[in-house]
Amino acid sequence: MRKMRLVSYFCRILIFCTLYPIFSVQALDKAQVGVGQSLNIKSWKTDSGSSVFFVNSQRLPMIDVMLDIDAGSRWDPSGLEGLASLVAGMLFKGHHSDGKIISEEEIGEFFVRNSIIRSVSTSRDKASISIRFLNEPEVIQKLGRFLQNVLSKPEFNESILARQKRRSLLALRESLTRPQQLALRNLWDKMYPDHPYGRSVTEQSLGNVSREEVQTFFRKFWTPERMTFSIVGDIEDRELESFLGNITNFQSKNSFSKFEEKLERQENFNYKKILPPVIFPLAETLMIDHPAEQSHIWIGAPMLARHQIEDIFPFFVANYILGGSGFGSRLTSEVREKRGLSYSVFSGFSLLKQKGPFFIGLQTGKQNTTVALKVVQETLTDFVNNGPDELELEKAKTGLIGGFALKLDSNKKVLMNLSQIAYYGLPLDYLDNWVDRIASVTKEDVKRVLRTYFVFENMQTVIVGN
């Protein structure tokens, strides 16, 4: 019977994947979301305090949900790095329902039986659960009740936790053999020496995670008021409100009643209510030996938070010109095309709740490390001091605007953008005005953000493989 359900599930997925490109192409007419079209985002709060952001889309008979929880790794207590990720990874490994335990296998069967696709991830800022399902009333009702139990009554089985910790340990050891991962790990540490953004999971921190710590973290951070729901799909408002009401109709502390008295008495000073501000350490260069054939060079510094939208749009343009556009960017021209020092060189930035980093990355032959680093530094210095010329500015704005429609050409992409608006508190018309905001960026705007945020005394450099 189980095999038959699996075959049925994968057949439905195959049909959906076959037809999806047709639906997507047909959806890109003027009546649908696109350049100059409004997303018409609706927002409200559930009775339990969760935030909801909804875009009604009838492109497909599907509903996409992104649940973002303010429970990312920045809340990991010192010495327990990796805890947030383990908590999120344990949620679909077993929970309580009607006096019995629903096992990991039964959870998997529920998703297969109802043709539901789900994934879980953890970043520095948040934990995220992504779910895609058919807009069938029966499926919606079942899923609402099911998720309420998952989010309110997880079991956190001791043996499964031990298995997850072993898997995380093996993944950590493997990652530490790769030069790029070594470089990024150390770059974050250098950029954020006194902030949780800079901490990374270690073998010791994984070993320190106990079932009680998992339960404590869950109780403190996986609460309805810390949850943000982003939804894109074909569903009526009233039905959606009922669905979300079912999911969030709980208080997480009720999940562990037999531990409650002990945990309420316990004062755990490891858990912070307010995170420290991002400081700007003085520039350093860290060199790490590695047997790789090439040197992996990374340069970076904290710069912008996600909510600083007045400066983000000029920054988009500046990054596009410097190294964010690939061929045609200044870094590619100077490092690859003129000197042949690297196959790939790029720039980018990560926008976070607090000041996220700007970075430059490249690989080069070990014998070229010093020369390549000098060329990158000179290119960056010239760009910061003098800004772009008019041709670069217009090409950058044209390129960014030309690619904007691709950000919204599927429900999944709309969901990812909606999730950014919802979780980071961006204006509801952020995407509606995106093209106009890029088009209005001037040369002086770019110069202003370059001179404001690029402080060379704070730029960190990590070289692995030298």
Side-chain angles (χ1 to χ4, degrees), residues 139 204 215 231 241 262 346 355 394 406 424 433 460 463 465:
V139 173
Q204 183 176 352
Q215 291 173 335
I231 304 101
E241 289 175 6
K262 176 183 176 182
F346 56 89
K355 292 185 182 297
E394 291 309 312
L406 298 178
Y424 289 104
N433 296 328
Q460 307 297 316
I463 304 171

Side-chain angles (χ1 to χ4, degrees), residues 210-347:
S210 66
R211 182 170 184 256
E212 186 175 12
E213 291 290 357
V214 168
Q215 291 173 335
T216 302
F217 187 95
F218 179 82
R219 286 163 53 89
K220 287 182 178 292
F221 297 106
W222 283 74
T223 58
E225 63 271 13
R226 298 176 74 92
M227 296 179 178
T228 302
F229 289 86
S230 302
I231 304 101
V232 177
D234 186 9
I235 183 172
E236 296 297 325
D237 292 7
R238 184 174 299 177
E239 189 175 17
L240 178 58
E241 289 175 6
S242 175
F243 170 68
L244 296 175
N246 286 336
I247 295 174
T248 60
N249 184 25
F250 70 90
Q251 293 294 327
S252 60
K253 67 181 181 180
N254 294 332
S255 308
F256 305 109
S257 56
K258 64 180 179 178
F259 299 106
E260 184 172 338
E261 185 178 349
K262 176 183 176 182
L263 290 174
E264 288 297 332
R265 290 199 308 264
Q266 177 185 357
E267 287 190 281
N268 193 332
F269 295 106
N270 285 330
Y271 291 90
K272 300 181 182 297
K273 292 184 178 180
I274 300 175
L275 295 176
V278 173
I279 64 169
F280 299 92
L282 293 176
E284 288 187 79
T285 297
L286 175 65
M287 306 182 76
I288 302 173
D289 287 332
H290 194 278
E293 294 181 359
Q294 292 189 313
S295 290
H296 292 247
I297 303 173
W298 284 82
I299 303 170
M303 291 199 182
L304 275 172
R306 188 67 184 87
H307 64 272
Q308 295 177 271
I309 59 174
E310 294 302 320
D311 290 339
I312 282 174
F313 289 96
F315 213 97
F316 282 146
V317 176
N319 179 65
Y320 190 98
I321 295 168
L322 178 63
S325 59
F327 288 102
S329 70
R330 284 202 182 188
L331 285 172
T332 298
S333 174
E334 296 295 331
V335 177
R336 173 177 172 163
E337 295 173 1
K338 291 182 180 179
R339 297 173 177 86
L341 294 172
S342 177
Y343 181 79
S344 173
V345 58
F346 56 89
S347 66

Side-chain angles (χ1 to χ4, degrees), residues 38-50:
S38 173
L39 282 182
N40 190 25
I41 300 171
K42 298 179 181 179
S43 66
W44 65 88
K45 291 270 191 181
T46 68
D47 292 340
S48 299
S50 300

Side-chain angles (χ1 to χ4, degrees), residues 362-419:
L362 71 150
Q363 299 174 33
T364 189
K366 290 184 177 180
Q367 71 279 8
N368 296 323
T369 300
T370 302
V371 175
L373 182 58
K374 182 181 179 182
V375 172
V376 169
Q377 292 171 335
E378 289 176 348
T379 303
L380 179 59
T381 300
D382 177 69
F383 187 51
V384 171
N385 290 339
N386 300 309
D389 60 40
E390 290 297 337
L391 181 59
E392 286 177 318
L393 182 69
E394 291 309 312
K395 282 185 176 180
K397 293 197 292 184
T398 300
L400 287 166
I401 292 171
F404 177 73
L406 298 178
K407 295 177 180 288
L408 302 172
D409 64 356
S410 71
N411 282 7
K412 199 70 174 177
K413 291 181 182 179
V414 172
L415 179 71
M416 297 305 294
N417 281 283
L418 179 62
S419 172

Side-chain angles (χ1 to χ4, degrees), residues 190-205:
K190 288 291 182 184
M191 293 188 297
Y192 298 93
D194 298 308
H195 192 278
Y197 281 163
R199 298 202 304 258
S200 298
V201 62
T202 65
E203 292 194 21
Q204 183 176 352
S205 69

